[in-house]
Amino acid sequence: MSQQTVDNPFFARFWTMLSAHESEAMRRLRRENLAGLHGRVLEVGAGTGTNFEFYPDTVTEVVALEPETRLAPLAERAAAAARIPVTVIESTVETMPATEPFDAVVCSLVLCSVADPDGVLRQLKSVLKPGGELRYFEHIAEGGWRGQVQRVADATIWPRFAGNCHTHRDTERAISGAGFVIATARREAQFPAWVPLPVHEVALGRATKN
Ligand SMILES: C[S@@+](CC[C@H](N)C(=O)[O-])C[C@H]1O[C@@H](n2cnc3c(N)ncnc32)[C@H](O)[C@@H]1O
């Protein structure tokens, strides 16, 4: 049975520090990922709630899941300051309570961290209304030398220190495999190509449940 909450003290501290010092480029990507959303939205793995300020006014409610016991209170604080109503639920997506269907689901930097991305994507499709959309902003698997670095990182220390993040996931293939139709998609490098980090390129897109 899946756990409802998790406690990764190192990751929680690291992510709190990182998300408090985001670049303008990162903020632009977050805004782009949420632009045009409307109605009731589910956000999976909200972290410290960094996305909340970027939801457009056309969103009537955000239900935000965050299982890290040290991050959920920070997400709650961000929710209290948000322009739109946000309810934070301290839970993994796998153990989330049953709710009414959503107009949209937002995954930002989280499909790399769930244990079973294929299963989670099928679950997310099931909680969307027909015609609803998945907005994603995710690290992705790359080829060449960086792909090798990603494989080594995933098999060794990266998931342990980064809250189970796996850098070499073909997330867009998993999204299509779960039955979503990718309507728009693009990629962008987060750092110069020479930076030897396993996380480098992100994919942003909109996928629909037809
Ligand atoms: C890299 S952080 C990204 C946080 C946030 N989405 C953002 O864009 O800043 C990944 C987040 O996913 C959460 N997470 C990991 N596994 C999860 C799961 N099974 N269900 C829901 N959230 C999860 C973590 O607790 C963490 O807050």
Side-chain angles (χ1 to χ4, degrees):
M1 205 177 123
S2 300
Q3 266 181 288
Q4 189 169 358
T5 60
V6 290
D7 185 17
N8 296 300
F10 175 83
F11 167 71
R13 241 177 268 133
F14 174 70
W15 191 256
T16 300
M17 192 263 293
L18 211 63
S19 58
H21 297 92
E22 287 194 342
S23 64
E24 224 6 85
M26 187 73 173
R27 292 167 62 79
R28 173 177 53 76
L29 292 169
R30 290 187 182 283
R31 193 176 290 114
E32 177 181 336
N33 191 37
L34 305 178
L37 284 175
H38 63 89
R40 205 162 162 262
V41 176
L42 174 69
E43 181 173 333
V44 182
T48 60
T50 324
N51 278 323
F52 298 165
E53 66 174 295
F54 299 115
Y55 280 99
D57 292 341
T58 41
V59 168
T60 52
E61 183 192 7
V62 175
V63 175
L65 307 172
E66 179 44 56
E68 272 287 345
T69 52
R70 294 160 204 258
L71 296 182
L74 301 179
E76 271 161 22
R77 203 185 303 165
R83 280 176 301 123
I84 41 125
V86 181
T87 307
V88 176
I89 301 179
E90 199 171 322
S91 172
T92 62
V93 61
E94 294 89 342
T95 56
M96 69 179 267
T99 69
E100 294 294 306
F102 293 91
D103 296 291
V105 173
V106 169
C107 287
S108 103
L109 310 173
V110 66
L111 290 170
C112 53
S113 301
V114 299
D116 172 15
D118 297 333
V120 163
L121 282 161
R122 284 194 299 273
Q123 181 195 349
L124 295 179
K125 189 159 169 260
S126 76
V127 301
L128 271 174
K129 291 179 185 170
E133 59 180 9
L134 167 70
R135 294 291 183 94
Y136 62 90
F137 164 38
E138 295 285 342
H139 300 298
I140 39 165
E142 293 185 48
W145 65 267
R146 199 183 307 274
Q148 294 300 332
V149 172
Q150 290 180 327
R151 282 199 184 86
V152 172
D154 289 359
T156 54
I157 56 166
W158 195 269
R160 289 182 197 201
F161 288 110
N164 202 41
C165 171
H166 291 76
T167 62
H168 196 68
R169 283 192 174 166
D170 193 343
T171 298
E172 286 182 309
R173 182 142 59 154
I175 289 170
S176 301
F180 285 100
V181 177
I182 295 184
T184 64
R186 74 175 192 89
R187 295 183 173 196
E188 186 168 317
Q190 283 190 292
F191 308 105
W194 56 266
V195 175
L197 279 173
V199 286
H200 170 246
E201 210 174 28
V202 289
L204 275 115
R206 191 167 68 80
T208 55
K209 169 180 172 170
N210 291 339

